[in-house]
């Protein structure tokens, strides 16, 4: 919000316009109670659907086309760690049948790409020593083979 030199009312209005919609009504009520906004104040229609899902949907095409970096303001994460975000999110949201399908697909994988090897190295799963580590390796490999979720 561009609020430099604005009155309290205009500053609050601008901030409400970019706030998450889950908090807008409460913040607006507090501003009205404090006398900073008039009781008849209404948010513009374009500012009423500020949700993570709306923003993700609006940016999905740019992300898919590689035009929008995952972390536009930089990150301490390495490229390998950033590449693991998608597969780990897939695993986090998977149901039992999806987990089993990914583990099966990963277990059948014979040739591991350099990107997959780097991810497995980062997770210390390149050379699994236990049955549990072999399962996790298969599961992560299976998730790496799925298209990234947006």
């Amino acid at each position: 919000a561009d609020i430099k030199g604005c009155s309290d009312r205009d500053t609050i209005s601008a901030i409400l316009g970019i706030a998450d919609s889950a908090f807008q009504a409460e913040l607006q009520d507090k501003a009205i109670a404090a006398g900073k906004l008039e009781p008849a104040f209404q948010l513009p229609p374009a500012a009423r659907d500020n949700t993570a899902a709306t923003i993700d949907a609006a940016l999905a095409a740019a992300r898919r086309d590689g035009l929008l970096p995952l972390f536009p303001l930089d990150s301490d994460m390495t490229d390998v760690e950033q590449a693991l975000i998608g597969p780990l999110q897939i695993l986090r949201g998977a149901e039992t049948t999806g987990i089993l399908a990914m583990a099966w697909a990963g277990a059948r994988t014979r040739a591991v790409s350099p990107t997959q090897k780097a991810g497995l190295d980062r997770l210390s799963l390149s050379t699994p020593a236990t049955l549990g580590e072999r399962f996790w390796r298969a599961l992560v490999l299976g998730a790496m083979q799925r298209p990234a979720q947006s």
Side-chain angles (χ1 to χ4, degrees), residues 8-29:
D8 285 355
R9 186 245 180 247
D10 291 342
T11 298
I12 291 168
S13 172
I15 291 172
L16 279 173
I18 62 169
D20 187 310
S21 291
F23 305 103
Q24 286 174 329
E26 179 185 355
L27 293 170
Q28 180 175 328
D29 290 346

Side-chain angles (χ1 to χ4, degrees), residues 19-111:
D20 187 310
S21 291
F23 305 103
Q24 286 174 329
E26 179 185 355
L27 293 170
Q28 180 175 328
D29 290 346
K30 287 182 177 183
I32 290 171
K36 298 294 183 175
L37 289 175
E38 64 276 10
F41 175 83
Q42 293 289 318
L43 277 171
R48 294 184 189 150
D49 195 21
N50 291 347
T51 63
T54 302
I55 293 168
D56 284 343
L59 299 176
R63 283 192 180 118
R64 183 184 59 245
D65 295 342
L67 301 173
L68 185 64
L70 187 57
F71 297 103
L73 301 177
D74 206 10
S75 169
D76 289 339
M77 295 176 71
T78 67
D79 290 342
V80 171
E81 292 167 340
Q82 289 183 36
L84 285 168
I85 292 172
L88 294 178
Q89 285 179 332
I90 289 170
L91 289 174
R92 183 181 67 184
E95 296 183 10
T96 304
T97 55
I99 288 174
L100 293 174
M102 283 183 275
W104 178 251
R108 295 183 345 192
T109 301
R110 296 294 169 238

